[in-house]
Amino acid sequence: MKKFTLMLCFWLFLLSVYAQEKFGSDDYNSDLTSLEYKIQSPIANLAVIPLHYNLSISNENMNVLKLQTTIPTAISQKWLLINNVKIPVINAPSIRGYSNGFGNIQIMSVITPSKISNFTWGFGPAILFPSINKSLGFDKLSVSPTVVIIKQANTFTYGFRLQNFLSIAGNSNTEKVNFLNSEIILSKNLKNGWYVYSSPNITANWNAESNKQWTIPLGAGVGKLITQNRYLPLNLKGSVYKYVAHSLDADWLIQVEASFIINSK
């Protein structure tokens, strides 16, 4: 399974390069340069600070606040490096009640073409650091390739992000990491900065028991881009998902996010 996932990431990267040459022509809607389109792509030339809150509802609820930054850097006239840091602060049920602390911090760097196109892609490494509290995440240093593919046309954005983390160092007494982390990206822009979207984060812990491997939420949400204010542009959105599978048997997922847009080029 490890070799299969790594090969899948590699072939998706080659496919994205081919599609960029074949379909990423200059014949695209000029609206792709607007902020309404850029906020829908995780690899746009956009500096953003999102605050993301997850509430997984079950007999014992789980709360996750993700502190994030996304900073693009031009490495040449043709290429951008998108740097992303995610720091999860978790409140989760445990044997003794609830555990609180930081989960696995993730740092991701993705190379993507700087030219705006209706089809784009990104590829690069990601690092997952061990959690301080073993009950709130994996206890080993892990790495993964990252593949991102995005298509935008006719007010729609759709694509995906794919990772599979494998442990490379850490406590020899703890289980190795083999963890799939993926995101489906789908949105439609409406009038006056409004949009509807669905971006389920689908994961699989391949080392867990077969009935505890997958976490799959299905649902949708609505968002609003606010540009007419005294401060920074603000992207607000919220969504509700139903878990069709969950490693801890949660039923529902509620997500709320506020993204402060620092710079857009």
Side-chain angles (χ1 to χ4, degrees):
M1 182 59 69
K2 295 180 181 180
K3 292 182 179 180
F4 170 79
T5 306
L6 292 174
M7 287 299 297
L8 177 61
C9 290
F10 177 72
W11 285 112
L12 286 172
F13 170 65
L14 294 182
L15 177 63
S16 67
V17 173
Y18 169 78
Q20 169 72 13
E21 295 296 327
K22 188 171 182 63
F23 301 111
S25 66
D26 291 333
D27 185 20
Y28 60 84
N29 192 321
S30 61
D31 285 343
L32 294 177
T33 62
S34 69
L35 200 55
E36 286 81 0
Y37 273 90
K38 286 187 175 183
I39 61 172
Q40 306 300 341
S41 172
I43 52 175
N45 190 1
L46 200 65
V48 183
I49 299 178
L51 298 176
H52 186 97
Y53 172 69
N54 281 7
L55 171 62
S56 293
I57 300 175
S58 63
N59 293 332
E60 295 179 308
N61 297 339
M62 180 175 179
N63 301 274
V64 180
L65 176 64
K66 292 182 182 179
L67 311 175
Q68 304 181 52
T69 59
T70 299
I71 305 296
T73 302
I75 56 178
S76 72
Q77 292 184 346
K78 293 184 178 181
W79 300 99
L80 288 173
L81 182 66
I82 308 296
N83 301 291
N84 178 271
V85 179
K86 295 180 181 179
I87 305 174
V89 182
I90 301 174
N91 168 252
S94 65
I95 298 176
R96 298 182 179 180
Y98 273 83
S99 295
N100 302 285
F102 293 102
N104 296 110
I105 297 173
Q106 180 186 150
I107 297 178
M108 180 182 72
S109 296
V110 172
I111 295 176
T112 184
S114 59
K115 184 179 180 180
I116 295 176
S117 172
N118 60 357
F119 177 90
T120 190
W121 55 268
F123 185 81
I127 302 174
L128 201 64
F129 292 91
S131 62
I132 298 175
N133 187 333
K134 296 180 181 179
S135 66
L136 299 178
F138 298 113
D139 193 33
K140 288 182 179 289
L141 180 69
S142 306
V143 297
S144 171
T146 300
V147 175
V148 183
I149 294 179
I150 298 293
K151 172 74 174 179
Q152 293 183 298
N154 301 321
T155 71
F156 283 96
T157 299
Y158 46 93
F160 64 86
R161 172 180 55 83
L162 179 65
Q163 300 170 316
N164 196 96
F165 287 95
L166 301 175
S167 53
I168 58 172
N171 190 337
S172 59
N173 295 323
T174 59
E175 189 175 51
K176 293 182 179 181
V177 176
N178 186 4
F179 179 68
L180 171 70
N181 184 29
S182 65
E183 181 183 13
I184 306 299
I185 299 166
L186 176 63
S187 68
K188 177 175 173 55
N189 289 339
L190 306 174
K191 294 182 179 180
N192 301 319
W194 289 94
Y195 58 92
V196 291
Y197 72 98
S198 181
S199 56
N201 190 215
I202 299 172
T203 66
N205 182 359
W206 302 117
N207 291 331
E209 298 177 8
S210 58
N211 62 337
K212 298 291 184 181
Q213 286 184 343
W214 288 93
T215 296
I216 305 174
L218 295 179
V222 63
K224 168 70 171 176
L225 174 64
I226 302 172
T227 57
Q228 302 300 321
N229 57 53
R230 296 175 56 187
Y231 306 103
L232 299 172
L234 182 63
N235 181 28
L236 300 175
K237 60 183 182 180
S239 56
V240 177
Y241 295 87
K242 170 65 176 176
Y243 283 116
V244 297
H246 193 273
S247 59
L248 299 177
D249 297 324
D251 295 318
W252 293 90
L253 171 65
I254 298 175
Q255 294 182 328
V256 180
E257 183 176 306
S259 296
F260 301 89
I261 300 170
I262 307 300
N263 187 29
S264 173
K265 296 182 180 179

